[in-house]
């Protein structure tokens, strides 16, 4: 299932996939896979993304 | 006596070469000239790629073992067949990893590797062609060069296909 909340949170911060990927230390393809719902990130990566995007886990990853 | 001197010199040169290579590798990795960092998704995919590559190799060697038991004479030397097995395992690993964006480390760019793959293909084909000039065509030690050329050719083609696919998806 696509993670549109992550995509919109990233867009709200005016960040590209590459910028978010660099900020959390993963590849651009990994960010793309998370947004497309092709990959379930670990809690560690989820927290890093939340920290960078100033959102909570619930806001970005909880169904 | 002369032979033993040459043997000793060979061993010394070998040890020196390994020591120098080890030192260079230590410097290179300490200064992070070549980064080999993969993210968690890439590690996962690479694990799967290793598994599939290993399974492909196991299947090949099982077929090879059964086949050599049935066939009385060797059509192709055993060492060539073993190299084919390694080539199959390597190809499966590389193709799976490339197709799932897990072959290159985080800061690596595929373009440099494309040049490297091309160089490996050209050098191996060149070595095979050079050997065959003046020799009868057929299975020979340089067949291994052709096997590696074929492996890298497949990897290169998959890499180019993947780049084309990514470009197409980015345009959508």
């Amino acid at each position: 299932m696509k993670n549109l909340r992550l995509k919109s949170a990233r867009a709200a911060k005016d960040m590209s996939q590459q910028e978010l990927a660099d900020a959390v230390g993963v590849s651009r393809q990994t960010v793309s896979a998370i947004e497309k719902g092709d990959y379930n990130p670990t809690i560690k990566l989820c927290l890093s993304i939340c920290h960078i995007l100033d959102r909570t886990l619930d806001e970005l990853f909880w169904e | 006596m002369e032979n033993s001197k040459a043997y000793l010199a060979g061993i010394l040169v070998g040890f020196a070469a390994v020591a120098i290579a080890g030192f260079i590798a230590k410097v290179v990795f300490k200064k992070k000239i070549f980064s080999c960092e993969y993210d968690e998704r890439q590690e996962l995919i690479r694990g799967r790629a290793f598994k599939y590559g290993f399974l492909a190799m196991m299947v090949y060697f099982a077929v090879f073992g059964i086949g050599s038991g049935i066939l009385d004479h060797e059509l192709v030397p055993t060492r060539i067949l073993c190299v084919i097995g390694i080539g199959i395992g390597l190809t499966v690993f590389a193709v799976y990893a490339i197709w799932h964006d897990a072959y290159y480390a985080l800061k690596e760019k595929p373009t440099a590797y494309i040049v490297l793959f091309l160089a490996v293909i050209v050098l191996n084909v060149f070595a095979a062609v050079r050997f065959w000039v003046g020799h009868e065509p057929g299975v020979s030690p340089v067949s291994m060069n052709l096997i590696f050329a074929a492996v890298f050719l497949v990897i290169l083609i998959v890499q180019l296909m993947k780049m084309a696919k990514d470009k197409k998806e980015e345009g959508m």
Side-chain angles (χ1 to χ4, degrees):
Chain A
M1 201 169 75
K2 282 188 179 183
N3 191 338
L4 296 173
R5 283 172 295 174
L6 172 59
K7 199 172 181 176
S8 60
R10 176 175 61 76
K13 276 261 176 185
D14 203 21
M15 286 178 100
S16 66
Q17 284 185 344
Q18 187 64 61
E19 284 167 341
L20 178 59
D22 290 341
V24 295
V26 297
S27 63
R28 186 197 60 78
Q29 289 85 356
T30 298
V31 172
S32 169
I34 296 168
E35 287 184 356
K36 279 195 237 168
D38 292 341
Y39 173 65
N40 282 326
T42 59
I43 191 76
K44 194 179 161 201
L45 181 54
C46 289
L47 285 169
S48 298
I49 292 170
C50 289
H51 180 70
I52 297 293
L53 297 178
D54 295 321
R55 299 292 174 101
T56 63
L57 274 174
D58 280 4
E59 284 172 326
L60 290 186
F61 296 102
W62 197 250
E63 293 300 323
Chain B
M1 190 68 188
E2 259 184 43
N3 276 350
S4 64
K5 271 184 186 174
Y7 180 72
L8 193 66
I11 288 176
L12 287 174
V13 170
F15 273 116
V18 169
I20 291 166
F23 177 74
I24 291 169
K26 195 181 168 187
V27 171
V28 161
F29 284 106
K30 202 172 180 181
K31 293 196 172 180
K32 292 190 174 176
I33 294 169
F34 290 119
S35 167
C36 284
E37 283 176 40
Y38 299 92
D39 66 34
E40 55 180 49
R41 184 193 61 86
Q42 288 177 311
E43 294 278 8
L44 191 78
I45 297 289
R46 286 172 72 83
R48 262 186 233 153
F50 275 122
K51 187 174 77 179
Y52 294 144
F54 178 73
L55 285 174
M57 207 163 70
M58 291 290 282
V59 169
Y60 169 80
F61 280 116
V63 172
F64 163 53
I66 293 164
S68 63
I70 294 166
L71 294 171
D72 282 341
H73 63 284
E74 283 186 2
L75 293 170
V76 181
T78 310
R79 64 175 183 277
I80 303 284
L81 288 169
C82 288
V83 172
I84 292 173
I86 294 166
I88 288 171
L90 198 67
T91 308
V92 170
F93 163 75
V95 166
Y96 189 85
I98 287 172
W99 203 251
H100 293 89
D101 300 301
Y103 190 72
Y104 305 103
L106 285 177
K107 286 171 187 167
E108 284 179 337
K109 300 279 176 219
T111 39
Y113 282 87
I114 288 172
V115 176
L116 185 71
F117 294 155
L118 268 173
V120 171
I121 293 165
V122 170
L123 285 174
N124 278 294
V125 171
F126 177 72
V129 170
R130 211 179 69 159
F131 178 83
W132 276 333
V133 173
H135 288 81
E136 289 214 359
V139 178
S140 62
V142 290
S143 302
M144 288 189 202
N145 291 83
L146 287 181
I147 293 164
F148 281 111
V151 166
F152 281 93
L153 184 65
V154 172
I155 294 172
L156 180 66
I157 290 168
V158 171
Q159 177 59 58
L160 293 174
M161 282 167 64
K162 173 69 181 155
M163 285 169 85
K165 181 180 168 260
D166 287 348
K167 210 170 182 180
K168 197 176 166 187
E169 281 178 0
E170 272 174 33
M172 283 165 72

